[in-house]
C-alpha cells in the first residue's frame, strides 16, 4: 500500500522539533505532505511564502516530503486530497488536551480521518515556534532550535 500522511501546522517558523517529526514520519510512510496553515484571521510573523520556503529548505534532503498550504478546515483539505491520516507531534501533557479535542473533532467532520501522534524528541519537548520568535527577536541564540540551513534567514526576519 502506498501511504500518504499529512503533517499540519503553522510553522511560524519551522523548528528542529517540527523537523524531527517530519523526518520520522518520512521514514514510516511513503509520502508526507507538510501542510502550512493559512489562517486569515491571524497574522503570522512569517508570511505563508516565507514559511513554505523555510520548510522547503529544511526538508530538502527528504525525497518523499512535499510542502503544501491550506486554508479552512484540515478535515476538508484531507478529504479533497485523498489523505486519511494526520501525523502530529505530542510534546507534553499540555499538548494532549487540545490535540485530543482536535483529533475527535476532525474525526466527526471526516469519519475516515485518523490522527496519529509521535512523541516529541526528548531534546525538543520544550521547543515551540513562539519560543523561537521570542528568543530570536530579543537577540538570543536560536542555533539549537532551528535547522542550520534556515537559521540566518529566521534571525534576519526576527531582528528587523
Ligand atoms: P508550534 O506549537 O511550535 O507553533 P505548530 O502549530 O507549527 O507548532 O505545530 C505543528 C505540529 O508540530 C504539531 O503537531 C505540533 O505538535 C508539532 N510540534 C511543534 N513543536 C514540536 C516539538 N518541539 N516537538 C515535536 N513536535 C512539535
Amino acid at each position: 500500500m502506498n501511504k500518504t500522511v499529512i503533517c499540519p501546522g503553522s510553522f511560524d517558523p519551522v523548528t528542529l522539533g517540527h523537523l524531527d517529526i517530519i523526518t520520522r514520519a518520512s521514514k514510516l510512510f511513503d509520502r508526507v505532505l507538510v501542510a502550512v496553515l493559512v489562517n486569515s484571521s491571524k497574522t503570522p510573523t512569517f508570511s505563508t511564502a516565507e514559511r513554505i520556503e523555510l520548510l522547503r529548505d529544511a526538508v530538502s534532503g527528504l525525497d518523499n516530503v512535499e510542502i503544501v498550504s491550506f486554508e479552512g478546515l484540515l478535515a476538508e483539505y484531507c478529504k479533497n486530497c485523498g489523505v486519511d491520516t494526520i501525523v502530529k507531534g505530542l510534546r507534553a501533557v499540555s499538548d494532549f488536551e487540545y490535540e485530543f479535542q482536535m483529533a475527535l473533532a476532525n474525526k466527526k467532520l471526516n469519519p475516515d480521518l485518523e490522527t496519529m501522534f509521535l512523541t516529541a524528541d526528548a531534546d525538543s519537548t520544550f521547543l515551540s515556534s513562539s519560543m523561537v520568535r521570542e528568543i530570536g527577536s530579543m537577540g538570543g541564540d536560536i542555533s539549537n532550535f532551528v535547522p542550520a540551513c534556515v537559521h540566518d534567514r529566521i534571525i534576519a526576519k526576527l531582528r528587523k
Side-chain angles (χ1 to χ4, degrees), residues 16-91:
L16 285 175
H18 295 133
L19 189 57
D20 173 59
I21 297 296
I22 295 166
T23 305
R24 285 157 62 200
S26 78
K27 290 180 186 154
L28 292 167
F29 301 101
D30 301 295
R31 185 165 161 250
V32 177
L33 299 179
V34 177
V36 178
L37 172 65
V38 180
N39 186 345
S40 44
S41 66
K42 262 203 209 163
T43 312
T45 301
F46 292 79
S47 68
T48 305
E50 287 169 332
R51 287 181 282 150
I52 290 175
E53 198 186 311
L54 294 172
L55 269 166
R56 278 213 179 106
D57 288 348
V59 305
S60 64
L62 303 170
D63 290 344
N64 59 343
V65 176
E66 285 165 47
I67 313 300
V68 296
S69 62
F70 74 103
E71 208 169 346
L73 291 173
L74 177 63
E76 270 309 301
Y77 181 76
C78 289
K79 200 183 277 176
N80 293 338
C81 47
V83 173
D84 65 4
T85 308
I86 298 169
V87 173
K88 302 209 78 181
L90 206 53
R91 280 166 288 196

Side-chain angles (χ1 to χ4, degrees), residues 67-148:
I67 313 300
V68 296
S69 62
F70 74 103
E71 208 169 346
L73 291 173
L74 177 63
E76 270 309 301
Y77 181 76
C78 289
K79 200 183 277 176
N80 293 338
C81 47
V83 173
D84 65 4
T85 308
I86 298 169
V87 173
K88 302 209 78 181
L90 206 53
R91 280 166 288 196
V93 183
S94 50
D95 272 351
F96 180 80
E97 202 171 326
Y98 174 75
E99 293 295 352
F100 189 70
Q101 215 173 16
M102 281 302 296
L104 291 178
N106 280 328
K107 203 156 179 54
K108 273 273 178 250
L109 293 168
N110 174 355
D112 297 326
L113 195 53
E114 295 294 349
T115 303
M116 295 180 66
F117 294 100
L118 296 178
T119 48
D121 180 74
D123 289 335
S124 57
T125 38
F126 66 91
L127 193 52
S128 66
S129 295
S130 58
M131 181 186 274
V132 164
R133 291 196 302 272
E134 209 167 312
I135 295 175
S137 64
M138 291 190 288
D141 179 8
I142 56 163
S143 56
N144 287 322
F145 304 157
V146 299

